[in-house]
Amino acid sequence: MNNKDFKLDDYNYGFNDGDNAIIKFPKGLNEEVIRKISEIKNEPEWMLNIRLEAYKQFLKMPNPNFGPDLSFIDFDDITYYSTSSKRTEDEWEKVPENIKKTFEKIGIPEAEAKFLNGVSTQYDSEVVYKKIADELALQGVIFTNIETAIIEYPDLVKKYFGKLVPYSDNKYAALNTAVWSGGSFIYVPENVVLEKPLQAYFRINGMKTGQFERTLIIVESNSSLHYVEGCTAPIYSENNLHAAVVEVFVNKNASCRYTTIQNWSKNVLNLVTKRAKVLDNGNMSWIDGNIGAGLNMKYPASILAGYGAKSDSISIAIGSSNTIQDVGAKMIHLAPNTRSSIISKSVSLNGGDSRYRGKVVIAKEAINSISHVECDTLILDDISRSDTIPTEIVNNSQSSLEHEAKISTISDSQLFYLMSKGISKEEAEFLIILGFIEPFVKELPMEYAVELNRLIKLDMEGSIG
């Protein structure tokens, strides 16, 4: 499909369903709101106590002292809980019709049938549908929402919840811990290899609505998991706040791949904390696509706590008009013979602002460790910008860290070569961008790679050429 033939009408994610909430809290945050959320979920007292302590911490904590200015956020002008469904269904036919139509437009039922082992869909504050393949359930794999996990697997939740991202970590982790709702809980027992991905999809529908899902993943020894999440929201003139927390525990000889295709509308403020802990010879991969969101701060982190642990992060960020992409990754080496790699690709166009903000620390005890960082930026015009802001610390002389950074533009010679083959200028520019982000695209399942191409074309429309 030629870029000039791609119109906004071809893209279905910017629609909204109107206000169809059956429960919707008034705007504003106080202790009563937190108690009501806990009451709706029939939570045990220990979880309510965690929420209340986190709320106290939230009130004390300042905004981050780095990155974009967040002082404009009015926490009293946000709805902290909204749901359009009475319960979470495990049969698609039982999902409320209006919500079902929304996810059918996005393609959830088709994706589930074709290539997923399980799927979970969240609409505003609650998971409305979840399903896992029967054969996985028989192997002891758990894929559900956090609310269900607290009731059915309380010991597991208590053991891991908040251990990697405590509410004292940052202001938005404290906010999430106080008002969290929905999200995924995944447990993969020892010696279980999932051949197909599990997927979660997060949709914000309401205006000035916050979404605060909580994801907790445990992959036991000698097991593997690929988890995929997608995100969309309607186009509004007012901001929505998305502040999620993700905790991933990768045990000995286990592996986890966490793929995100973020496609928020530009009225979404995306402020998330994602962190993994990797034990002996475990492997954690972050595959992170950042498109849309007016303001995006996201730095997936891996703590390499076991001998021979490995982690890589491959990300793209598209900074187009009226967007700030402040993204990167963090790798913390605590044990010997650990390995990490960060590949960050960013594209800035039409006045967009893309920034790599990363951190690599190799501890004194983490001898014979290696880290490689590669930051590449493609700037497509004179009004866009990009920055690289790394922090890199090596505390022993037996380890090594490499950092490469490159900023480039589309050259006249590249365009001339492609156009000499009969390709239009617009399509040539698009092909050059796809070649630039190829290290990221090749890590995606085919269905997601095709959709990513569509999203980039949408962002490019009318911006270059």
Side-chain angles (χ1 to χ4, degrees), residues 136-149:
L136 292 185
L138 290 173
Q139 294 179 73
V141 176
I142 302 168
F143 181 31
T144 188
N145 53 327
I146 294 282
E147 292 87 344
T148 299

Side-chain angles (χ1 to χ4, degrees), residues 62-292:
N63 273 309
N65 59 4
F66 60 88
D69 179 19
L70 303 177
S71 61
F72 67 92
I73 298 175
D74 184 353
F75 295 103
D76 289 325
D77 198 30
I78 296 171
T79 297
Y80 287 89
Y81 184 86
S82 175
T83 182
S84 302
S85 180
K86 294 179 179 178
R87 56 186 171 271
T88 302
E89 303 290 357
D90 57 9
E91 295 180 28
W92 184 248
E93 292 73 20
K94 293 182 180 180
V95 174
E97 193 64 28
N98 59 314
I99 300 176
K100 190 160 58 174
K101 286 180 179 178
T102 294
F103 285 113
E104 284 172 349
K105 287 181 182 179
I106 293 169
I108 294 300
E110 181 181 3
E112 176 190 0
K114 283 186 176 180
F115 70 103
L116 298 173
N117 262 325
V119 65
S120 171
T121 58
Q122 180 160 336
Y123 190 92
D124 285 341
S125 297
E126 293 288 1
V127 172
V128 297
Y129 172 67
K130 58 183 175 67
K131 184 77 171 179
I132 186 171
D134 292 340
E135 61 267 26
L136 292 185
L138 290 173
Q139 294 179 73
V141 176
I142 302 168
F143 181 31
T144 188
N145 53 327
I146 294 282
E147 292 87 344
T148 299
I150 288 172
I151 302 302
E152 297 184 3
Y153 315 102
D155 292 341
L156 270 177
V157 177
K158 282 183 180 180
K159 182 177 178 180
Y160 292 103
F161 187 97
K163 299 302 187 293
L164 271 182
V165 184
Y167 55 75
S168 58
D169 190 84
N170 64 77
K171 189 174 185 68
Y172 295 89
L175 178 62
N176 174 280
T177 308
V179 300
W180 71 264
S181 187
S184 299
F185 177 85
I186 300 174
Y187 177 79
V188 184
E190 288 188 24
N191 305 311
V192 175
V193 176
L194 275 68
E195 301 293 343
K196 296 179 181 180
L198 301 180
Q199 174 178 293
Y201 206 96
F202 299 95
R203 174 75 176 178
I204 297 175
N205 182 65
M207 185 184 296
K208 288 191 175 182
T209 297
Q211 190 174 70
F212 307 97
E213 79 271 11
R214 188 93 185 196
T215 296
L216 179 56
I217 298 174
I218 304 109
V219 186
E220 295 286 17
S221 300
N222 304 306
S223 295
S224 70
L225 165 70
H226 184 188
Y227 176 73
V228 181
E229 66 177 7
C231 325
T232 63
I235 298 170
Y236 289 129
S237 60
E238 303 287 350
N239 288 330
N240 285 341
L241 175 61
H242 179 252
V245 168
V246 173
E247 297 175 291
V248 183
F249 295 84
V250 182
N251 286 290
K252 293 180 179 180
N253 303 306
S255 65
C256 180
R257 171 172 288 213
Y258 195 114
T259 298
T260 301
I261 301 297
Q262 170 195 297
N263 179 28
W264 294 120
S265 53
K266 291 183 181 180
N267 51 280
V268 173
L269 310 176
N270 191 52
L271 310 172
V272 303
T273 307
K274 295 184 172 184
R275 196 167 296 158
K277 183 178 182 180
V278 191
L279 299 186
D280 295 9
N281 298 309
N283 187 23
M284 179 71 204
S285 292
W286 300 100
I287 312 299
D288 199 31
N290 300 286
I291 301 171

